[in-house]
Amino acid sequence: MLTVVNEDGTTPSGSSLLDGIVREGARRMLTAALEAEVNAYVAELADERDGRGHSLVVGNNDYHQPRQVATGAGVVEVKAPRVNDKRVDKATSERKRFSSAILLPWCRKSPKISEVLPPLLYLHSLSSGDFVPALEQFPGSSAGLSAATVTRLTTQRQADHAAFMDRDLTEVDYGYMWADGIHLNVRLEEAKTCVLVLIGVRPDGSNELVALKDGYLESGESWADLLRDCARRGMRAPVFAVGDGALGLWKALAEVFPETSEQRCWVHKTANVLDAMPKSAQPGAKKAIPDICNAEAAITTFAQLYGAKFPKVVKKITDDQDQLLAFCDFPAEHWIHLRTTNPIESTFSTVRLRTKVTRGAGSRTAALAMLFKLVESAQQRWRAVNAPHLGALVRAGARFERGRLVERPEAIAA
């Protein structure tokens, strides 16, 4: 029986018939869209006529030279239609030109390709020797994505991260901020280097990446250096900061932004408490600890239950009682966001999956640039905090007690 494909779905030439169909469909759709765009442009300017009554803008059934464009469906060949536009710009005395919003001049790849390519190459360690196999796995073919192009994209990513870390922060304001040091399997300068991350909440309730920088472990000086840099660029002290029990962070925060309230992460605290207990006692303690989040009296109950046998464990909670319950002085609708550093942990859980496949990213700058782009991409999916309208009240210094707004503090009422 005569067939057009092999058993594995490839054509006699070795290419995939399915991929070929997808690319041909994409080519036809792109061609139709470009022609529709030109027709709409010509129709919109149909009333533009010269002194003899002739149309100044017409389609002439001609096309530009064909070019290959890398898209998510692969590399397709495109012929953009021409437009004969005889209008003259009065300001410059030059002929006006039609410019497609779909296919920009000299465009050789869709913007999405530039976003997807760096993570793909990161999985190949950003080594020039790995460019070819990486590009072979990219949809379609590697046409238009040469090693020089990849190098240029990588350099651009590093420049983007450098610009991000040097941007002006005087126009932004954060009510809440999460801070954490993330240890990843990437090549930085030293084995004990980690990535220091700050995520802030704007007054409108939206979350955004504030800073991402490498530091030695989670030392106080590393955190202080990062916070001082943010202050130098104009950032105001956040009202409330959430972090784990790393002393370096809180020492640095007290030095740079002493007015910021401190909140210990309950996830980290729970893990530390359970690690200090025998496995036989962990199930009961694990059930008792969440109750503390909702009632201060639960700390007393926890101390009564475990204080006699595990005094050092109970001390881990009682010593940090004020910092563990600091979230109670903010809107109850926000409590679920303020008890943990989950916004950072959840984001980097997916980043870790990508970094486990390689021992390094080529260099410190390449590693940080790639992490920055991965987090920047994830940021598009971050949701705002609950009751975002309360964010402006928090930033303005409104007072809350047990999660409820105090509209007329006693000092003012008197």
Side-chain angles (χ1 to χ4, degrees), residues 181-192:
I182 304 298
H183 297 263
L184 298 167
N185 183 29
V186 294
R187 183 186 305 164
L188 296 173
E189 288 186 340
E190 301 181 31
K192 295 184 179 181

Side-chain angles (χ1 to χ4, degrees), residues 21 80 84 97 124 133 160 174 184 226 279 283 306 309 403 407 411:
I21 293 174
N84 187 7
R97 294 178 179 273
H124 288 264
D160 290 345
Y174 304 108
L184 298 167
L226 177 58
K279 289 187 177 181
Y306 297 98
K309 194 170 184 179
E407 296 187 7

Side-chain angles (χ1 to χ4, degrees), residues 86-99:
K86 301 178 182 178
R87 296 176 303 156
V88 176
D89 190 326
K90 295 181 180 180
T92 63
S93 300
E94 295 182 355
R95 286 273 298 271
K96 293 186 178 182
R97 294 178 179 273
F98 166 73
S99 180

Side-chain angles (χ1 to χ4, degrees), residues 10-69:
T10 61
T11 63
S13 64
S15 62
S16 169
L17 180 63
L18 178 60
D19 288 343
I21 293 174
V22 171
R23 285 195 294 273
E24 177 60 20
R27 186 192 66 78
R28 293 185 181 184
M29 291 178 65
L30 180 56
T31 299
L34 291 172
E35 291 179 350
E37 183 184 33
V38 166
N39 292 336
Y41 181 82
V42 173
E44 182 181 358
L45 301 172
D47 294 336
E48 297 276 349
R49 298 182 179 275
D50 59 17
R52 295 179 295 176
H54 297 160
S55 296
L56 291 175
V57 182
V58 296
N60 54 12
N61 296 322
D62 193 11
Y63 294 87
H64 292 281
Q65 288 293 325
R67 53 174 152 157
Q68 291 189 330
V69 180

Side-chain angles (χ1 to χ4, degrees), residues 143-162:
L145 296 173
S146 63
T149 300
V150 174
T151 301
R152 185 169 61 253
L153 288 173
T154 303
T155 302
Q156 181 60 49
R157 291 305 178 270
Q158 296 174 13
D160 290 345
H161 176 242

Side-chain angles (χ1 to χ4, degrees), residues 49 80 83 92-94 116 122 130-131 147 198 204 239 263 265 267 276-277 297 299 309 327 369 380 399 406:
R49 298 182 179 275
V83 176
T92 63
S93 300
E94 295 182 355
V116 175
Y122 176 63
D130 288 326
F131 286 170
L198 295 176
D204 63 359
V239 177
Q263 170 66 45
C265 172
V267 171
M277 302 179 73
I299 291 183
K309 194 170 184 179
F327 67 88
Q380 300 175 11
R399 180 181 169 189
V406 179

Side-chain angles (χ1 to χ4, degrees), residues 274-302:
L274 295 180
D275 285 345
M277 302 179 73
K279 289 187 177 181
S280 59
Q282 289 182 8
K286 191 173 183 179
K287 292 180 180 179
I289 290 175
D291 293 338
I292 300 174
C293 297
N294 302 314
E296 187 171 350
I299 291 183
T300 303
T301 302
F302 186 84

